[in-house]
Amino acid sequence: MNEEFKNAFNSLSINEKRNQISNELLIIGELIKIAEKNIGIPSILMVKNYDSISDSTLSESEMLDFIYEDIYNIQKELITLLSVDKMI
């Protein structure tokens, strides 16, 4: 990541930063689903969309829990994907 992207992210509001992180996790989730489809395994990965939460006043702790759950699920799915891909 270059300094321009870091500075752009830094200038966002807290809610915009939360949305951006959520969007990045959604993109990663979609890439995993595409890879799973390409090797013929079903995807069970569900990444939540922060934008879809009507109450954007989550505490920082709640937001970190929200993000951690998605990262944990992405990690599990990547481990499965890479394990299956080595078998094929």
Side-chain angles (χ1 to χ4, degrees), residues 1-72:
M1 176 182 282
N2 65 34
E3 287 301 313
E4 184 178 342
F5 282 117
K6 288 181 190 178
N7 291 335
F9 183 79
N10 191 41
S11 69
L12 298 174
S13 71
I14 293 296
N15 200 44
E16 290 170 328
K17 286 179 179 180
R18 290 174 171 189
N19 286 335
Q20 187 60 39
I21 290 169
S22 176
N23 290 339
E24 299 296 340
L25 291 172
L26 286 166
I27 291 168
I28 293 167
E30 288 305 311
L31 291 171
I32 292 170
K33 288 178 183 182
I34 290 168
E36 289 172 328
K37 183 178 179 182
N38 285 341
I39 64 171
I41 62 171
S43 180
I44 59 167
L45 180 61
M46 295 294 296
V47 178
K48 295 176 297 307
N49 184 351
Y50 173 79
D51 288 337
S52 69
I53 297 175
S54 58
D55 180 11
S56 62
T57 59
L58 291 175
S59 71
E60 207 55 34
S61 180
E62 291 169 324
M63 186 62 193
L64 290 172
D65 290 345
F66 180 90
I67 291 170
Y68 180 77
E69 185 179 343
D70 281 341
I71 291 171
Y72 180 82

